[in-house]
C-alpha cells in the first residue's frame, strides 16, 4: 500500500510539473490569455491636378471620377466602386473591396485599394491603375510585414509608385 501511495504521489508530482511548465519567455506570439484584433490595411490614393484640385470629386472641373478608372491586381481587373460594400460590423472582418471611392471628412476624395489582412505578409504586390483616359498607367507596388515583438503585434508597410517609395496616401498629380 505504501509503495502504491508513493507511486501515485510521484505520478501526481510529475503531472503537476508537466502541466505547470509554461513558456513565459515566448516573445514570438501573443500572450496566451490575450485576444488581438489585427486591423486590415489599405492603400489610399489622392489624385489632383497641378493646382491641387481634387480630380476624384465629380463636381471638379476636369474630374476623372466617372471615366471608368480600373485597377489590375493578381490578374483580375476591378472597376472603381464595382464591388458591393456590405455594412461593417464591430468585428474586424477583412473584406477585399477592390478599388473604391472614399470621401474624407474635409470633403476630399480618395481611392482606396483593399482591404488587406494586417496579420499577413505581402511581398512586392503589384497593382496597375488604368485611368481610362489615354494617359500612362501607374504601377503601385507594396510590401507589408507583420511580426510579434514583446508579445505585441508590429507591422510595416512600404508603398512605391512607379518604382519610387512614397507615403500612404499616395499623391498622384495628373
Amino acid at each position: 500500500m505504501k509503495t502504491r501511495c508513493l507511486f501515485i504521489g510521484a505520478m501526481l508530482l510529475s503531472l503537476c510539473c508537466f502541466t505547470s511548465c509554461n513558456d513565459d519567455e515566448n516573445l514570438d506570439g501573443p500572450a496566451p490569455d490575450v485576444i488581438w484584433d489585427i486591423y486590415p490595411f489599405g492603400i489610399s490614393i489622392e489624385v489632383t491636378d497641378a493646382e491641387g484640385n481634387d480630380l476624384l470629386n465629380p463636381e471638379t472641373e476636369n474630374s476623372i471620377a466617372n471615366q471608368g478608372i480600373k485597377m489590375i491586381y493578381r490578374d483580375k481587373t476591378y472597376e472603381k466602386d464595382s464591388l458591393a460594400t456590405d455594412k461593417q460590423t464591430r468585428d474586424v472582418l477583412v473584406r477585399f473591396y477592390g478599388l473604391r471611392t472614399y470621401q474624407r471628412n474635409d470633403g476630399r476624395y480618395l481611392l482606396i485599394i483593399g482591404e488587406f489582412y494586417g496579420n499577413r505578409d505581402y511581398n512586392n504586390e503589384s497593382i496597375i491603375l488604368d485611368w481610362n483616359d489615354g494617359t500612362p498607367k501607374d504601377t503601385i507596388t507594396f510590401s507589408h510585414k507583420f511580426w510579434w515583438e514583446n508579445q505585441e503585434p508590429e507591422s510595416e508597410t512600404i508603398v512605391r509608385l512607379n518604382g519610387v517609395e512614397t507615403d500612404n496616401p499616395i499623391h498622384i498629380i495628373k
Side-chain angles (χ1 to χ4, degrees), residues 25 82 97 104-105 122 141 164:
E25 299 302 316
S82 64
Y97 294 106
R104 298 186 327 193
N105 290 339
Y122 296 87
T141 307
V164 178

Side-chain angles (χ1 to χ4, degrees), residues 42-75:
I43 308 296
S44 303
I45 305 161
E46 177 181 29
V47 184
T48 65
D49 61 17
E51 289 79 40
N53 296 311
D54 182 3
L55 295 181
L56 295 173
N57 184 338
E59 297 175 9
T60 300
E61 186 178 339
N62 299 321
S63 171
I64 62 171
N66 296 319
Q67 69 188 25
I69 300 169
K70 298 176 188 137
M71 77 168 194
I72 302 161
Y73 176 62
R74 293 186 173 176
D75 297 324

